[in-house]
Amino acid sequence: MATKTYTVLSTWRKLLHSYVTQHMPDARLQARLEGEGKAKRLLEDKLGRFQEEDIRAFLAALNTDYWKDKLRHDRFMPAFYGALANQISNSTDAFNRWSEKLWNASEKELGSVLDDFWKDDAIPGSGTSLPTALLYLRNPDTFSIWLPKMELGMKKILPGLKLKHRRTWDGYRVYNEAMQSIREQIAATPQALDVAMSHAASEAGTASGNSFPFLFEEFVAAYVDLPDGQDHMRRYAQQRSEAQANWQEISAREARGEDITDAVLLKLLPHADTDHNRSRGAWIHVAPSITKDIRQWFEGAKWTKAEDWPNVAKTIYGFVRRCLESPQSLDEHCQWFASTVPSQGFQMGMLTPILNALKPEAFNIVNSKPRQALNFFCGKDCDNTLQSYPRLNEISFRFQKEHQELFDGVGQGIALHGDVLDMFSHWLVGVRKFSFKEAKFYKIAPGPSGEYWEQCRDDGYICIGWSDLGDLSGVSKEEFEARRDAALAEHPEWTKSGLGQVWRFTRIREGDRIVANCGMNKILGFGTVIGPYYFVAGAHCGHRLPVMWDDLTVRKVNEPSWLGTLQELNAERFEKLRNAEPIELVVDIERNPEYSTEQLAEDSGIIIERITRWLSAIDRKRQAVFYGPPGTGKTFLAQLVAKHLIGGSDGFSQIVQFHPEYAYQDFMQGIRPVAGPKGELSYQNVFGLFREFCDKATGRSGQCV
């Protein structure tokens, strides 16, 4: 398939060859070949007839690797692994349909089949990696797997390369030509190419996990290629088309001397995608500022009086027209609007989406999310007022030009650079929950042998000992030192430096990052501090910080200096620890007994044909509702169906009963008040029933109901 040759500089050729030599021993190559062979045999044997467990076996075989004297299944991680593997495995119908098409397509048909696959978007978690992996298994010497990490390495090696559109045959064709050209020039086997490119990507990276290129790579892998990301990207063009029509309609009405108040408020301002807003004909925007009726909102906040709205609407319309007619005078227009309409509430996030939709070459969307991102990455301190928009708009265009190659790689005709920046900012703030203050990094052992880890993990905190010091909330350094000296007199086995760790523990702030360790050779998890220090009287490790644990992969390290309970780390060291080798844990969970549909029909007294239809609907829709009067057996029947669904697997079922007092915090999670020993309140983040259910389910391969 590859027809074009791309020249790799000699320095890169030597470097890539060294990566392959160092990191692809014969044993590793053999393990990968065997894994690929098993995956290919599964495709040939099960094509069109894959069950969920077959798909999991296929993905595990494809991910087979061997490194540091250990057989592993994380070759292409995060692709085909963890949550993404679960999403793919749960899409059996779509997987069967598309794997059959891609496997059997002729060379002439291949382009249209691949384009149709991405347009259909029926397999969550597949991204660019799954369909191209199927092509790779057809012929590794012809096709390469399209992975974000490999793409990043390729762009470092061939900086002038343009991929055209992502998730299209044209984009893949260019990507594949470049990959095959690189592979031939470094004389590498197909099985070694991902090793070489991943190391090239790491070479291209930076020690700081807070750099824009580093976070953008994560954004591409974790959001762009997923269904939510693709839907987000497609909406920009749609909302521009709607905005153009709205503007023409309102301009015509204004020229006829008609009242445009309602039309301006509904169709020029960005509304959230809700049933109520859609029923009113509001302009729905991917970066909304209005969730309900703006009149009720502003009048309730005493920002605007009811009789002021006609004048406000005319001013909004006039502001937009002025900006479109003379964008070079943006600063003057923003000052005019602020002096004409009380600007509280009408900040840049309210007015910039319509400017961007009507004239994207002159105006960027800037609300609180892009503002925070631009301030952080560009070292600025712009506020959220409309008067700051001209400066931020200019900064945004400069930033897009500086990182043009990265934005090209995602947008490529589907979305503009400014759209990609807005989408990245949404992901960074709204999805990843990035902390824009400079975080500090700490290693903390939850007990000498990690004995308190399970409780820390399950209840969302990190703890430290020396509880005899008592609650240190609000305690001055002098008072702490007095308590420390008294404790040392009572406990001669304690040390001043050991107790000093407790003081440092109380200084850790929200947004700081935690590595939980067990001894010098094992990492238990990574998390982010989400609240202030608190103390639990009577607990052995009563000094605590609330933590959101975001990575519970157990990892192998060798850290001889990790003798104490708490140590501060630098950003570079933290990132290296994040990439430490995972330890595969084998948990022997007892499997549930089989419970057949025949037995279910007999126990429930319902004919098997109806049971089969129900199970088919549940498999397709992932949910079901039994309705009827109280006492007619709905719960009993639901329990039997759940018993069948988890039969023969390690899954489990759980019942929750909602009632009028049942709150979001009970079901998901929430900050709850906890009384201290002196009657003072501290606030802890506590998981609700569903979060606990999900955590338990992540350790199971079977269905959980």
Side-chain angles (χ1 to χ4, degrees), residues 472-509:
L472 298 176
S473 303
V475 170
S476 67
K477 185 68 180 293
E478 291 75 17
E479 184 178 345
F480 166 77
E481 290 174 348
R483 292 195 196 182
R484 178 199 64 195
D485 294 342
L488 288 171
E490 189 173 340
H491 299 276
E493 72 279 10
W494 290 0
T495 64
K496 185 179 288 189
S497 61
L499 293 178
Q501 296 175 102
V502 185
W503 178 252
R504 286 157 59 202
F505 183 86
T506 67
R507 305 294 98 186
I508 295 174
R509 295 292 176 256

Side-chain angles (χ1 to χ4, degrees), residues 17-36:
H17 185 71
S18 72
Y19 292 151
V20 174
T21 303
Q22 294 173 38
H23 299 285
M24 186 54 68
D26 290 343
R28 190 176 197 185
L29 176 60
Q30 186 60 35
R32 290 181 168 209
L33 285 168
E34 290 175 2
E36 290 175 13

Side-chain angles (χ1 to χ4, degrees), residues 86-234:
N86 289 338
Q87 290 179 325
I88 295 169
S89 301
N90 289 334
S91 307
T92 51
D93 291 344
F95 182 90
N96 280 318
R97 182 171 73 254
W98 283 110
S99 59
E100 197 167 14
K101 287 184 177 182
L102 287 162
W103 192 250
N104 292 327
S106 67
E107 191 167 334
K108 186 177 179 180
E109 298 170 328
L110 205 50
S112 60
V113 172
L114 198 56
D115 277 337
D116 290 343
F117 173 88
W118 279 314
K119 286 176 185 174
D120 188 45
D121 204 17
I123 308 179
S126 59
T128 56
S129 52
L130 179 63
T132 55
L134 293 168
L135 301 186
Y136 171 82
L137 290 174
R138 276 178 53 154
N139 190 343
D141 289 309
T142 301
F143 300 107
S144 298
I145 301 181
W146 192 352
L147 295 166
K149 191 83 170 181
M150 292 175 68
E151 182 183 327
L152 185 70
M154 181 183 70
K155 287 178 178 177
K156 182 66 176 180
I157 297 163
L158 304 171
L161 182 71
K162 302 297 180 186
L163 283 182
K164 300 189 177 181
H165 298 314
R166 289 186 67 78
R167 294 166 62 99
T168 65
W169 168 251
D170 283 343
Y172 176 64
R173 181 176 48 78
V174 174
Y175 170 90
N176 191 55
E177 285 177 344
M179 280 297 180
Q180 294 299 330
S181 184
I182 291 169
R183 184 173 72 81
E184 289 168 9
Q185 291 177 67
I186 64 173
T189 64
Q191 291 72 28
L193 189 56
D194 61 284
V195 170
M197 303 312 292
S198 296
H199 279 84
S202 298
E203 187 79 17
T206 170
S208 171
N210 286 350
S211 72
F212 177 71
F214 184 96
L215 288 165
F216 198 85
E217 177 197 340
E218 184 182 344
F219 158 68
V220 172
Y223 190 66
V224 171
D225 281 336
L226 299 184
D228 284 352
Q230 288 297 298
D231 177 65
H232 192 137
M233 187 180 296
R234 283 191 289 264

Side-chain angles (χ1 to χ4, degrees), residues 74 100 109 120 295 316 335 364 405 436 508 659-660 668:
D74 58 357
E100 197 167 14
E109 298 170 328
D120 188 45
R295 295 175 188 256
I316 293 172
Q335 296 292 345
N364 290 289
E405 185 179 335
F436 288 97
I508 295 174
H659 51 80
M668 296 300 292

